[in-house]
Amino acid sequence: MGFVCLTLLILSGITDSISERFDVVGPAYPVFAGAGEDVLLTCSVKLKTSVVDMRVEWYRTDLSGALVHLYEDHEDRNTEQIQSYRGRTELNHQLLQTGNASLRLSAVKVSDEGRYKCLIKSISWFDDATVDVKVEAVGSPPVITVDGFDRSGGLHLQCEAEGWYPEPDLEWLESEGVRLSPETTEMHKTTDRFSVKHTVTVHQRDDKIHCRVKLRHHMLEAKIIISSNMFNSCSQKTAVIMMSVSAVLCVIAGMLIAVFVHKYRGERELRNDGHIIVQLAPPMGKN
Ligand SMILES: *[C@@H]1O[C@H](CO)[C@@H](O)[C@H](O)[C@H]1NC(C)=O
């Protein structure tokens, strides 16, 4: 009889500690959050055991365990919380009853990117889950600027986009969707954002050239329509310059002619020699 009682006692002890055990699960994949938006870092206890009477701790494993949010003795205790999370974390106490310890993080910053741990602890047991957070910031749309022409008639284009995170891909495309390889590529990082600038030289005329900035599932685009007029305007400009140069030369030549005519008029009248003026004409034409 005593033996049976002892066995029952041991058995009930085992079942007790088994019922105390729980598994904590987080998302299987990294959580993507847009800068400035809110994000939910999911974490819950399997079998929906209430965690109201437990300790729920959210911290950054990649920041030497810095505290993000703490729930203990039935309330939030965030005096030790890192400054950058102040006022931006929220644990739904209602949902804790169903074992849901998901953390709402508002106004996401680039610095929120990292590895989080959700640790749930009872008197006799604890388990945790990892949540990887990836932040993306869509910056300014690309801006194309015309940077001049080269001797061979190629048009220099520059495309720039600022304020992206992480570093976006920038690409030039012809209207057919063919990628143009950039001549120069530049990347700058300011505190936590990236700026990119690529240049390209195009020889196509009557074509649309696109500049695309891509980041995971975000894409912003700018396009420039290159008409033959653009190239013509270059030759027109050259023509204008040529014209004004020849205009100046004409004036000089005209003055010279006037001087010569004036100088030789007397002689011509004397010698009646009409060749002088005709002879002056070739140098003017040459200029
Ligand atoms: C936990 O609660 C959030 C809402 O705050 C919900 O989106 C999520 O699906 C819940 N998780 C589970 C496992 O029920």
Side-chain angles (χ1 to χ4, degrees), residues 25 40 42-44 48 92 95 98 100-102 104:
V25 286
L40 187 73
T42 60
C43 171
S44 57
K48 303 191 182 294
N92 188 322
L95 286 174
T98 61
N100 190 336
S102 301
R104 181 166 295 280

Side-chain angles (χ1 to χ4, degrees), residues 58-131:
W58 278 93
Y59 60 95
R60 287 279 294 265
T61 56
D62 59 339
L63 286 182
S64 6
L67 187 69
V68 173
H69 193 100
L70 178 65
Y71 168 89
E72 197 179 33
D73 299 328
H74 306 100
E75 56 185 33
D76 296 313
R77 295 176 180 267
N78 283 325
T79 46
E80 302 295 314
Q81 182 187 49
I82 349 175
Q83 192 62 41
S84 65
Y85 289 97
R86 210 39 54 92
R88 296 196 296 124
T89 58
E90 189 193 331
L91 202 62
N92 188 322
H93 293 189
Q94 211 74 40
L95 286 174
L96 292 178
Q97 289 169 6
T98 61
N100 190 336
S102 301
L103 186 75
R104 181 166 295 280
L105 184 58
S106 52
V108 168
K109 301 177 187 179
V110 167
S111 61
D112 292 341
E113 182 167 284
R115 175 159 286 197
Y116 293 69
K117 241 181 186 140
C118 157
L119 173 72
I120 301 181
K121 203 172 171 189
S122 71
I123 304 155
S124 56
W125 188 252
F126 74 88
D127 192 21
D128 61 22
T130 302
V131 182

